[in-house]
Amino acid sequence: TGHAARLAVLQVEDERHVLEPFGPVLKAPADFLVTNPPYLSDADEVSDEVRDHEPPEALFAPAGDPLHFYRRVAEGAR
């Protein structure tokens, strides 16, 4: 019954539903929210090494809005 009981690891099963796992977290009190959403735009230069090992969904935010996911998470923050 320590702090580990309060830890929830949420993983996206489908890249189209990136924000879905945050629903329960944003409705309940949380001390931390750790996320690494995509923040690059199509115009950003990315090395071949990165492009070869990361899916585009992990690198690129919706067109023209590199802070899209950060804004969505912040909307639910208190």
Side-chain angles (χ1 to χ4, degrees):
T1 64
H3 295 292
R6 294 177 26 198
L7 175 65
V9 177
L10 306 172
Q11 192 169 3
V12 176
E13 293 182 21
D14 184 329
E15 65 273 0
R16 293 174 295 172
H17 305 285
V18 171
L19 297 176
E20 187 175 287
F22 294 115
V25 173
L26 296 178
K27 292 178 183 171
D31 295 324
F32 298 96
L33 176 62
V34 179
T35 181
N36 185 22
Y39 58 89
L40 298 174
S41 72
D42 291 335
D44 289 326
E45 289 186 34
V46 179
S47 72
D48 290 339
E49 182 176 312
V50 171
R51 279 189 192 271
D52 290 346
H53 297 286
E54 294 290 340
E57 297 85 7
L59 297 173
F60 300 103
D65 192 6
L67 297 178
H68 170 79
F69 296 109
Y70 293 91
R71 252 191 305 290
R72 293 293 302 272
V73 171
E75 287 171 5
R78 294 170 209 192

